[in-house]
Amino acid sequence: NENRILRDRFPGLVRFFLKPAKGVYRKIGRFVFRWTRRAALPVLLLGVLLTAFSLDRYLYRQWEGITPGIPKPRKGPDYTGIFYPSKPDGITDMDTLRNLEAELQQDFDLISHYVAWGDGPSNQMPKALVEEVLDSGSWPMITWEPWMNDFMRADSSPDIQGNRRVFQRILEGEFDGYIDRFAQDLKSFQAPIFLRFAHEFDNPAYPWSETGGNSPADFKQAWRYVHDRFMALGAFNVIWVWNPFTYENVKTYFPGEAYVDWIGVTLLNYGTLNQDGAWYDFEALYEPFQEAFKILPDIPVMLGEFGSLDLGGDRELWLEDALKHSASEYREIKAWVFFHSKWDRNIPAGVEYERSYLDWTGSLKPLQEWTRSIPKSKIRRLTDTATAKGNPYTPLEMPEDPIRGV
């Protein structure tokens, strides 16, 4: 039928040339088919060989001479810190600390202090102390506690005197002057300063928790408000440490990745003063936090208060075990800050304890042993950075991986 259609539609001259062309086309087709059939197997084998050669050359032999990298065992956090007061004033005594460093042959990178809000001299940014810490080659960490009863206006306001609804008052701008002065003082140093603002915001023992009429939403808004004021004033050297008290409230109180540089953990074993009277090892205390932090962005963790009482167990063995596990197994932990104080008034509620203060001090021999296990090039030692004449320490160099927040 198709041939008939062609004959009817095309003139004779076209049909004259079309018939030979069809014959040539058939001959070419038969020729191609015959040789293709004969060459099919050799071509297939050649393709297989070329594919094998390519895989060997580009996928396997490219690794010749290259030794696979084996992750080095973790040797511990990047920074070691301490809180070591000589009286109940929340300030690390630098003279006492130097004696301890000489004894341990261990320089502490982070020196912790506590500053309560207020109008008095002790409520202001401790400039001389911060300068001394920085001159020693370490960095200060200030736990900034928003108590209100130290402000003179507390005499005329029962709510302020009772430390009620502090975050609402912050958001209303009542403490802008105090916040801005503190920010400008910290900015003036042009050096990393860790700020642990309103720590343990979910701890009912503190009035900036729900106990004082503050909701999680109030806290998050106030945190961002204070942070934004620091940024507006150019205090970019401040490193923000967000420190929950319990792992259950991690998600509820997190103010956002843009507002948090480090996550702090209060890692303290109260021994027989725990509510159940049990002695808890490091893993039992920390692992619930580790699990809770999985929902948060990848932010470095510091043990902002780290230690154990000597009640119901062996404190030194607890510390040895804690250092071993936290150094080798929990890579997110980038700093330890030893809570080395015998002036702690925060006695757990509902327990029997005859003394006025908790004593977290004791032997730090496990830390000394851990330090000796680290290559000397990785740590700073007192004998490396100061002479017998008391010259200042060499300032601590910035790490290869920048400090988050700086």
Side-chain angles (χ1 to χ4, degrees):
N1 291 335
E2 292 180 355
N3 290 334
R4 187 180 300 115
I5 292 172
L6 290 173
R7 287 195 299 271
D8 293 342
R9 292 188 178 182
F10 289 94
L13 184 62
V14 173
R15 293 199 299 270
F16 176 78
F17 287 105
L18 185 61
K19 185 174 181 180
K22 289 172 63 178
V24 172
Y25 174 77
R26 289 192 184 99
K27 289 180 180 179
I28 293 173
R30 286 194 295 268
F31 176 81
V32 171
F33 174 76
R34 185 169 59 251
W35 283 102
T36 301
R37 186 174 59 179
R38 292 177 180 177
L41 183 59
V43 169
L44 177 62
L45 293 175
L46 179 61
V48 171
L49 291 174
L50 287 174
T51 301
F53 174 79
S54 299
L55 288 174
D56 179 71
R57 178 65 181 83
Y58 295 105
L59 293 183
Y60 304 131
R61 291 195 180 183
Q62 62 175 323
W63 304 113
E64 287 183 355
I66 299 177
T67 303
I70 301 174
K72 295 180 180 179
R74 177 173 162 81
K75 292 296 185 180
D78 298 324
Y79 311 111
T80 299
I82 194 168
F83 171 56
Y84 192 17
S86 60
K87 54 186 176 181
D89 60 357
I91 301 296
T92 291
D93 186 307
M94 294 300 290
D95 291 333
T96 305
L97 176 59
R98 288 193 186 98
N99 293 333
L100 179 63
E101 288 181 324
E103 176 187 340
L104 297 175
Q105 287 293 288
Q106 162 76 48
D107 287 349
F108 290 95
D109 306 312
L110 301 175
I111 311 302
S112 178
H113 312 283
Y114 292 73
V115 176
W117 286 27
D119 292 321
S122 64
N123 307 118
Q124 309 310 308
M125 206 280 290
K127 293 183 180 180
L129 181 63
V130 170
E131 287 178 355
E132 186 175 5
V133 170
L134 293 172
D135 288 344
S136 74
S138 301
W139 293 317
M141 181 171 76
I142 298 174
T143 298
W144 203 28
E145 302 179 326
W147 299 92
M148 295 188 292
N149 57 301
D150 279 347
F151 287 100
M152 289 185 289
R153 72 193 80 168
D155 295 336
S156 59
S157 172
D159 262 10
I160 294 180
Q161 184 63 43
N163 293 292
R164 299 283 300 171
R165 292 183 289 277
V166 61
F167 295 134
Q168 282 294 330
R169 292 182 176 275
I170 289 174
L171 292 169
E172 291 167 2
E174 188 165 344
F175 301 109
D176 283 356
Y178 175 76
I179 293 169
D180 291 352
R181 285 193 301 274
F182 212 93
Q184 289 168 339
D185 287 341
L186 294 180
K187 173 188 173 182
S188 67
F189 288 98
Q190 294 297 304
I193 298 177
F194 291 73
L195 188 65
R196 190 166 162 249
F197 168 55
H199 74 304
E200 299 179 16
F201 34 79
D202 54 333
N203 183 350
Y206 289 124
W208 50 87
S209 68
E210 289 185 314
T211 304
N214 306 285
S215 69
D218 293 336
F219 165 78
K220 289 187 287 188
Q221 291 177 36
W223 178 283
R224 295 168 188 153
Y225 180 89
V226 174
H227 183 281
D228 288 345
R229 294 196 73 85
F230 273 63
M231 295 299 101
L233 292 168
F236 304 121
N237 59 311
V238 174
I239 301 168
W240 294 81
V241 182
W242 175 81
N243 195 141
F245 181 62
T246 63
Y247 62 87
E248 293 96 338
N249 292 315
V250 164
K251 182 178 180 180
T252 307
Y253 280 86
F254 187 66
E257 182 180 7
Y259 296 91
V260 175
D261 298 315
W262 283 65
I263 296 172
V265 175
T266 302
L267 206 292
L268 298 173
N269 173 38
Y270 286 84
T272 56
L273 297 187
N274 284 313
Q275 294 299 322
D276 58 2
W279 178 269
Y280 288 95
D281 60 20
F282 175 85
E283 296 95 319
L285 293 172
Y286 179 71
E287 285 182 355
F289 281 99
Q290 184 193 43
E291 186 65 28
F293 293 155
K294 289 180 180 179
I295 66 170
L296 301 182
D298 185 15
I299 299 175
V301 173
M302 73 159 58
L303 305 182
E305 296 179 7
F306 178 40
S308 175
L309 294 175
D310 205 1
L311 300 174
D314 189 311
R315 175 188 175 278
E316 190 170 330
L317 288 177
W318 184 94
L319 188 58
E320 180 181 343
D321 177 75
L323 292 177
K324 174 184 175 182
H325 288 284
S326 62
S328 61
E329 299 174 15
Y330 304 101
R331 292 184 173 271
E332 70 277 9
I333 298 177
K334 304 298 184 183
W336 296 323
V337 181
F338 291 88
F339 195 72
H340 202 63
S341 170
K342 60 181 179 181
W343 306 102
D344 183 12
R345 298 188 183 94
N346 295 314
I347 300 169
V351 300
E352 294 184 4
Y353 189 72
E354 298 178 353
R355 300 178 183 178
S356 301
Y357 301 98
L358 299 174
D359 185 358
W360 298 92
T361 64
S363 172
L364 290 178
K365 183 179 178 182
L367 173 61
Q368 188 177 33
E369 295 298 324
W370 173 81
T371 301
R372 289 173 178 170
S373 70
I374 305 301
K376 190 173 181 180
S377 60
K378 181 177 173 64
I379 59 175
R380 300 179 307 126
R381 291 182 182 272
L382 184 65
T383 52
D384 295 335
T385 54
T387 68
K389 296 180 180 179
N391 292 333
Y393 301 152
T394 303
L396 187 64
E397 296 180 357
M398 296 292 281
E400 293 182 5
D401 295 329
I403 302 173
R404 182 181 171 91
V406 177

